[in-house]
Amino acid sequence: MKLNVKIMPKNGVLDPQGKAIENSLSQLGFKNFSEIRQGKIIEIDIDADKDQAINIADEMCKKLLVNLIIEDYEIIFDREK
Amino acid sequence: MKASIIVFPGSNCDRDIAVSIKKLTDLEPIMVWHKETSIPDSDLIVIPGGFTFGDYLRCGSIAANSPIMNDVIKKATDGLPTLGICNGFQILTESGLLPGTLIKNDCLSFLCKTVSIRVENNETNFSKKYKQNEVINIPIAHNEGNFFANEDTLKKIKDSNQIIFKYCNQNGEVNNETNPNGSIENIAGITNEQGNVLGMMPHPERATCEITKLSDGENLFKSISEFLL
């Protein structure tokens, strides 16, 4: 079962990388955009049925993949795979 | 008496710590590889700086889950003095031994320079040889030293006097201009609530020998030594 874990900085937590990207895009002449935030996506293939796989991925997030002080996460089930 | 220095792949301040400990304390430094599952009888644990596991995922997150960390967490929770410097501080927050976390410097660059820090609490076993509010000069070298904690956590840290060091200038002034990395309230080092675990971004072991022309880190090691005697 292929899953994606999408990890984003929590609202209110400084995201210096997002800010740097925002500044660079402005310098390139892009306008009318705002609030760029950079996160990450982790792909995982778990040998289990969908519900089990989501539970396992959730445990992985809590134990290692995500720092809940500064990050939020979402487990995305990829139907096409 | 012994000090266990935990060595991970990518630790690079372990030997400097051992030199400082030998020079300034009565402890015998021993290196403990991260794959070990128990720490030999020790009076102090040190988690040194470096770039453990290449800083992958989040700084310190993979090291915090190394086999040795179960015993580090157990012994530190039981009250064994534990010191984490730089990446060691990040490992201590990732392992839950210290509150808050360390995120990217707000200036977006790696900082490698000597900074002034002010001793906010000299009543800990790590800081008793300093004077209250003393300004000391210690090098920093980090990309993720920006201390962050949510409001509730920050209140608890402050209420229990857990802030030990704050970034300042030579005059001891603590403000935005004297904050190198964006840390909340200029925090450079904190303890746990019990006061036996200290995490700090500045490197006291780099301010203990004549070559560096810095000696302000010596009193940190002398504080530990005095407490343990």
Side-chain angles (χ1 to χ4, degrees), chain A residues 7 12-14 16-17 19-20 23 40 42 63-67 69-71, chain B residues 57-58 61-62 65 94 99-106 108 146 148-150:
Chain A
I7 302 168
V13 174
L14 184 78
Q17 295 178 114
K19 275 273 169 298
N23 290 343
K40 55 194 149 198
I42 297 175
K63 284 202 169 153
L64 177 66
L65 303 180
V66 182
N67 182 336
I69 299 172
I70 47 168
E71 295 168 329
Chain B
L57 192 63
R58 293 177 312 276
S61 63
I62 295 176
N65 290 288
E94 281 284 346
T101 191
L102 294 135
I103 59 175
K104 260 193 209 316
N105 298 340
D106 67 348
L108 292 170
N146 181 348
F148 175 84
N150 64 31

Side-chain angles (χ1 to χ4, degrees), chain B residues 2-228:
Chain B
K2 291 191 175 107
S4 283
I5 301 169
I6 315 296
V7 185
F8 300 90
S11 296
N12 64 11
C13 301
D14 42 334
R15 284 169 192 277
D16 289 0
I17 294 275
V19 169
S20 297
I21 283 176
K22 259 191 193 163
K23 180 183 166 189
L24 300 160
T25 76
D26 296 315
L27 296 160
E28 180 201 336
I30 36 176
M31 301 299 184
V32 180
W33 183 236
H34 76 115
K35 288 219 167 151
E36 300 290 328
T37 50
S38 70
I39 292 168
D41 265 348
S42 303
D43 305 276
L44 173 72
I45 298 172
V46 185
I47 306 187
F51 300 86
T52 52
F53 297 93
D55 281 344
Y56 291 172
L57 192 63
R58 293 177 312 276
C59 299
S61 63
I62 295 176
N65 290 288
S66 271
I68 194 65
M69 287 307 292
N70 286 328
D71 204 33
V72 171
I73 291 168
K74 186 180 176 296
K75 291 200 160 74
T77 307
D78 287 346
L80 189 68
T82 302
L83 169 64
I85 296 165
C86 198
N87 190 215
F89 185 10
Q90 294 162 341
I91 293 167
L92 289 175
T93 60
E94 281 284 346
S95 69
L97 283 169
L98 288 175
T101 191
L102 294 135
I103 59 175
K104 260 193 209 316
N105 298 340
D106 67 348
C107 60
L108 292 170
S109 47
F110 187 94
L111 295 169
C112 184
K113 60 181 181 181
T114 298
V115 297
S116 296
I117 54 175
R118 194 173 75 187
V119 179
E120 299 292 308
N121 177 357
N122 74 338
E123 289 177 2
T124 75
N125 296 328
F126 301 99
S127 59
K128 57 170 63 167
K129 297 288 276 184
Y130 294 109
K131 295 189 193 83
Q132 182 69 17
N133 295 324
E134 184 177 343
V135 176
I136 58 176
N137 297 313
I138 308 276
I140 54 170
H142 59 244
N143 198 43
E144 283 85 3
N146 181 348
F147 182 78
F148 175 84
N150 64 31
E151 267 179 41
D152 290 349
T153 307
L154 184 64
K155 188 175 179 302
K156 278 187 202 156
I157 293 171
K158 285 162 79 172
D159 288 350
S160 324
N161 275 331
Q162 289 170 245
I163 303 172
I164 310 305
F165 301 113
K166 280 188 178 183
Y167 299 107
C168 64
N169 60 15
Q170 290 286 347
N171 301 323
E173 288 159 338
V174 171
N175 54 44
N176 282 345
E177 281 165 26
T178 65
N179 188 342
N181 54 25
S183 288
I184 286 186
E185 303 210 5
N186 287 42
I187 289 173
I190 56 163
T191 62
N192 61 346
E193 204 178 343
Q194 291 168 273
N196 69 301
V197 179
L198 170 69
M200 60 190 293
M201 289 313 295
H203 286 270
E205 80 281 10
R206 295 188 187 179
T208 61
C209 93
E210 283 163 24
I211 300 169
T212 62
K213 295 195 166 49
L214 294 166
S215 58
D216 288 351
E218 290 182 353
N219 274 340
L220 187 128
F221 294 97
K222 287 181 184 169
S223 299
I224 297 168
S225 188
E226 189 177 282
F227 155 69
L228 290 173

Side-chain angles (χ1 to χ4, degrees), chain A residues 13-64:
Chain A
V13 174
L14 184 78
D15 174 19
Q17 295 178 114
K19 275 273 169 298
I21 295 166
E22 209 168 293
N23 290 343
S24 187
L25 286 172
S26 293
Q27 278 169 27
L28 288 168
F30 287 99
K31 284 174 189 151
N32 304 323
F33 70 92
S34 63
E35 311 219 4
I36 289 193
R37 297 176 74 70
Q38 182 185 322
K40 55 194 149 198
I41 286 185
I42 297 175
E43 293 181 349
I44 315 173
D45 193 349
I46 300 175
D47 191 10
D49 66 33
K50 186 184 167 185
D51 287 349
Q52 259 184 321
I54 288 173
N55 283 340
I56 294 166
D58 194 57
E59 206 182 327
M60 288 173 169
C61 287
K62 290 184 174 126
K63 284 202 169 153
L64 177 66

